[in-house]
Amino acid sequence: MRRPPIGVLVVAAAVLYPAVHAIGIGPSLGGLVTILFFTLLAVGLNIVVGYAGILHLGYAAFFGVGAYAAGILTTPSHPFGWPFWLALPVGGAAGALLGLVFSAPLLRLRGDYLAIVTLGLGEILQVVLINLPGVTRGNSGLSPIGAPRLLGYELDQRYPAFWYYFVLALLLLAVAVSRAVERSRFGRAWVAIRENELAADCMGVNPVRAKLLAFVLSAVVAGVAGAAYGSFAGGLYPTAFTFNISATLLCMVILGGMGNPAGVVLGAVLLAGFDRVVAPFLTEQAGRLLPGGGGGSWRIFLEFHNYRFLLYGIALVILMRIRPQGLLPSAEMREELLEREEAASAAGAPA
Amino acid sequence: MSLANLSLRGVTKRFGGLTAVSSVDLDVAEGSIAAIIGPNGAGKTTLFNLITGVYAPSEGSISFEARDVRRALDRRAIELGTSVAAGCALLGVAIAAGVPAFEALVSGYRYAEPFAWGAGLGRALSAFGERAVGVVLGALAGTAVGAGGYAVTWRRGRVRPHLLARQGFGRTFQNIRLFKDMSVLGNVLVGLHPRLEAGFWASLLRLPSQRREEAGARAEATGLLEFVGLADRRDALAKNLPYGDQRRLEIARALALRPKVLLLDEPTSGMNPNETQALTRLIGEIRERFRVTVVLIEHHMKVVMGISERVTVLDHGAKIAEGTPAEVSAHPAVIEAYLGKGDEDVE
């Protein structure tokens, strides 16, 4: 009775949603797939930001490397023509390789310096994608990207239900991996480094190796997510991997509660949900209710989608003011709250 | 007197122009309790940081159980260095000619037409051939950067706290350094980290061997918490413990390493007389039960005189006196360092 199985209920609701949607209620599955991609990435970013406490500002680079590695292998505009299912792990491996190569010099830095270098990494990748036209087709983009084949079906965007379940499965896998590692000695080493690097070092934890593991593991998640995203979107363009993506993902992690995958999922669903579901709905309603169908030069002010960064910023400021640990802080925080409640109720009980 | 198992010879640490520790010799006998005292800024904590590998000495050597504490150039280091150099060489080649080779490979491909892989690979190879000089230079530069970088990293990494911790040095800190947002039990579990063997995949899949090991670790950590009297707070967050309990938690965490030498940096600072007395008893019990050598920095003279067998006095980074507590407290240089010179005394 300590904790109602909210997690189980949420997963069940997510699994059953397409059936509900089939009778015509709720937002489209395609929009939800984008939300799920963001959530998957946020869970991956949480490994490095939430557990190991490394402020990572270039996560989109790992997403992009995975996407392009798999995209190049599957697109018909290159001769490789690999099936999607083979390219998917290659995307993860490409992310891991980039993480490994860059983290060797990176992880000897600390705090702000490390953050600046990750920021640079994200910017460099975008410039590289634009300036290697022979490989990436530059700004004109890599398109189309091969779709996964299953039982004779070519599962591209016309099959949102497949993508919904596929990305949901990836997300559940990422959460399960996060949870398992969190409870192991590796997860404890991450948190120890986040809390006090010197003390962790003096307790026999090799900080460089622990950070490397966090960095590479989160890069694998980003790489796999990228590989899947490329196929879902059908085309890859350098503009899909800007700093905006990295910053939005970071907002999701911080808003939801660093170090707790469930909190991160909540943060990601709230922010991406606003962007993909709430804002289009509001825009549509405004257009319907206002005279002239919301036409006119001030129409642009009713594109609620454009307010997203303003709202993310306001949400973060309010959160930092009233609940700096995030909406759903990690399990140890909850235990502590529980302990206080028990102490309070024990004190209040008649002797 | 038994064998000295920790010995410092001419250990000096300079920070720029400041000599924090200057040419200190120190021998600590196995199983003894040694105290290091001295006025504020005498270099006591710096000495601890040198012993535990937080700093590398500018001069001098530290040996433990008759071996230099620095990591030797072992086979693993050489293997890792070789693979890093090889990886960097490949990276160098890729930077020198990777993109042109890729473009040569895929050139001539038309959408939906069969692609001649043999010819493509031939073009890619000749692209490498045309840039032979660049490729060789890239490989050489990559090897040099990889091997050089690894050599520098290895040299700097010869003295690192986690390596010293694995050799048997456990420590506490003057300004408490707990993992504040971790549970009390979690703090102690981190101390067990180097002795746990579960690999990454075993942890990911939560294999039975890993679960057994975790359960054992929890039991051992709980035992240590019982020993220091914190078992009933094991699920509390470390930051919510009272000050004295935080100090004892730091000791439990250090004990989880199963150290051979336990270094306590001002374990009783900020404690009232009752707590101080209890902690002094605890230090004695620790030595009996865990058979450790204890080195402590302390300001409470009562503690120092009560439990330590040898006292070393530092002032301005140099050792000014050494001996039994009684000898040291009568030593003129010690009295001078603590109370100032006597020449202004009247009568």
Side-chain angles (χ1 to χ4, degrees):
Chain A
M1 272 312 287
R2 268 182 58 171
R3 235 192 313 160
I6 293 176
V8 177
L9 294 177
V10 169
V11 172
V15 169
L16 293 176
Y17 175 75
V20 177
H21 178 70
I23 55 171
I25 308 169
S28 75
L29 287 179
L32 292 184
V33 173
T34 312
I35 297 177
L36 285 174
F37 268 116
F38 268 106
T39 313
L40 173 62
L41 285 168
V43 168
L45 182 62
N46 175 56
I47 294 172
V48 76
V49 174
Y51 295 146
I54 300 168
L55 185 56
H56 192 337
L57 297 172
Y59 198 58
F62 298 94
F63 181 46
V65 161
Y68 268 90
I72 287 167
L73 289 175
T74 58
T75 177
S77 49
H78 279 305
F80 304 98
W82 284 30
F84 169 80
W85 300 110
L86 273 181
L88 186 71
V90 173
L97 191 68
L98 183 78
L100 205 62
V101 168
F102 275 88
S103 58
L106 201 77
L107 294 180
R108 284 159 213 286
L109 302 172
R110 279 188 198 187
D112 303 346
Y113 304 101
L114 210 165
I116 295 289
V117 177
T118 58
L119 177 66
L121 173 63
E123 295 303 298
I124 288 168
L125 180 95
Q126 217 196 345
V127 174
V128 168
L129 291 179
I130 293 169
N131 289 296
L132 285 183
V135 183
T136 65
R137 298 278 183 271
N139 272 329
S140 48
L142 206 56
S143 171
I145 307 289
R149 278 175 184 280
L150 203 65
L151 306 172
Y153 286 95
E154 183 96 6
L155 294 161
D156 57 15
Q157 261 187 341
R158 288 169 302 172
Y159 297 90
F162 160 76
W163 282 101
Y164 181 86
Y165 281 116
F166 178 52
V167 185
L168 185 65
L170 287 179
L171 172 63
L172 291 176
L173 186 66
V175 170
V177 166
S178 289
R179 280 246 182 265
V181 180
E182 178 189 349
R183 290 183 204 156
S184 74
R185 67 195 194 101
F186 300 98
R188 284 196 299 271
W190 289 336
V191 177
I193 284 168
R194 181 188 76 199
E195 293 292 312
N196 198 316
E197 187 165 336
L198 178 64
D201 205 346
C202 287
M203 293 305 128
V205 175
N206 183 345
V208 173
R209 198 192 273 188
K211 285 192 218 168
L212 185 75
L213 180 66
F215 217 72
V216 170
L217 192 60
S218 80
V220 170
V221 176
V224 170
Y229 173 79
S231 264
F232 170 71
L236 290 173
Y237 304 89
T239 45
F241 307 100
T242 56
F243 175 67
N244 279 351
I245 302 286
S246 301
T248 306
L249 291 170
L250 202 59
C251 284
M252 292 168 178
V253 172
I254 294 169
L255 182 81
M258 285 193 277
N260 180 18
V264 172
V265 168
L266 177 68
V269 168
L270 284 178
L271 290 192
F274 171 78
D275 192 26
R276 299 287 156 164
V277 176
V278 180
F281 176 76
L282 288 177
T283 306
E284 193 194 323
Q285 293 303 313
R288 188 180 304 164
L289 293 176
L290 288 167
S297 61
W298 44 271
R299 179 82 167 79
I300 192 167
F301 294 106
L302 291 176
E303 292 283 350
F304 286 91
H305 173 81
N306 293 332
Y307 293 110
R308 65 190 186 285
F309 287 116
L310 179 69
L311 287 172
Y312 295 173
I314 291 171
L316 276 186
V317 169
I318 293 173
L319 190 82
M320 286 301 117
R321 192 71 194 84
I322 59 171
R323 205 175 157 84
Q325 70 274 36
L327 294 176
L328 270 186
S330 67
E332 292 192 319
M333 297 266 198
R334 262 205 308 275
E335 273 172 35
E336 173 66 9
L337 288 173
L338 203 80
E339 187 178 80
R340 263 192 230 152
E341 276 167 24
E342 278 168 7
S345 61
Chain B
M1 191 173 132
S2 71
L3 202 72
N5 74 339
L6 172 64
S7 90
L8 282 65
R9 288 286 167 270
V11 170
T12 299
K13 179 67 190 173
R14 278 185 285 270
F15 295 104
L18 177 83
T19 306
V21 170
S22 122
S23 195
V24 168
D25 294 337
L26 180 71
D27 288 297
V28 181
E30 192 176 346
S32 68
I33 297 184
I36 297 171
I37 63 169
N40 287 328
K44 305 181 295 287
T45 296
T46 307
L47 195 66
F48 261 34
N49 284 337
L50 287 164
I51 295 172
T52 55
V54 177
Y55 304 136
S58 310
E59 279 166 33
S61 66
I62 300 174
S63 58
F64 179 58
E65 291 175 339
R67 276 181 42 211
D68 195 303
V69 295
R70 288 180 298 180
R71 181 162 70 163
L73 186 61
D74 52 6
R75 226 185 72 200
R76 263 190 66 198
I78 294 170
E79 282 169 7
L80 187 61
T82 314
S83 42
V84 167
C88 287
L90 279 179
L91 201 64
V93 171
I95 291 170
V99 171
F102 181 90
E103 286 174 355
L105 172 73
V106 301
S107 69
Y109 166 75
R110 294 278 167 280
Y111 179 69
E113 278 174 24
F115 183 66
W117 279 99
L121 287 173
R123 284 195 301 273
L125 278 179
S126 63
F128 275 109
E130 283 162 29
R131 292 166 185 78
V133 180
V135 167
V136 171
L137 282 180
L140 288 178
T143 312
V145 168
Y150 185 78
V152 170
T153 311
W154 175 81
R155 231 180 91 81
R156 286 200 196 147
R158 292 190 75 186
V159 177
R160 286 282 146 189
H162 63 93
L163 297 174
L164 274 292
R166 284 156 194 250
Q167 286 187 43
F169 291 88
R171 73 171 289 182
T172 66
F173 298 87
Q174 187 179 358
N175 44 349
I176 300 172
R177 284 177 177 271
L178 286 171
F179 309 123
K180 289 181 190 161
D181 278 325
M182 269 176 120
S183 70
V184 167
L185 186 73
N187 269 269
V188 182
L189 285 172
V190 173
L192 288 163
H193 178 87
R195 281 196 284 123
L196 300 181
E197 283 163 356
F200 178 72
W201 295 107
S203 303
L204 199 63
L205 302 171
R206 293 180 69 70
L207 296 181
S209 62
Q210 190 258 357
R211 288 182 192 219
R212 257 198 313 279
E213 188 184 74
E214 282 291 303
R218 280 169 178 274
E220 186 173 346
T222 308
L224 284 167
L225 287 174
E226 269 162 20
F227 175 70
V228 299
L230 289 172
D232 54 330
R233 301 298 313 269
R234 52 176 265 178
D235 295 323
L237 288 190
K239 66 178 175 191
N240 294 337
L241 290 185
Y243 188 80
D245 286 354
Q246 292 197 4
R247 288 221 170 266
R248 284 189 294 161
L249 175 56
E250 258 204 328
I251 293 175
R253 185 180 66 175
L255 285 174
L257 282 166
R258 261 192 217 159
K260 295 174 184 161
V261 181
L262 182 64
L263 299 110
L264 305 172
D265 197 344
E266 299 196 19
T268 67
S269 87
M271 285 189 172
N272 66 34
N274 281 338
E275 288 173 324
T276 303
Q277 213 180 15
L279 197 89
T280 311
R281 261 202 314 277
L282 184 71
I283 294 172
E285 281 169 31
I286 287 170
R287 175 172 57 169
E288 296 309 313
R289 180 157 163 184
F290 297 92
R291 311 213 163 276
V292 290
T293 309
V294 179
V295 184
L296 71 152
I297 293 173
E298 199 35 268
H299 278 300
H300 278 118
M301 281 305 141
K302 235 177 158 175
V303 179
V304 174
M305 299 301 159
I307 59 171
S308 52
E309 278 125 24
R310 281 191 83 72
V311 180
T312 303
V313 190
L314 294 183
D315 190 25
H316 296 297
K319 184 167 83 176
I320 57 168
E322 190 172 26
T324 63
E327 284 164 14
V328 163
S329 57
H331 199 290
V334 177
I335 295 167
E336 187 189 310
Y338 269 90
L339 303 175
K341 258 204 167 86
D343 57 7
E344 282 171 28
D345 282 2
V346 186
E347 291 160 16

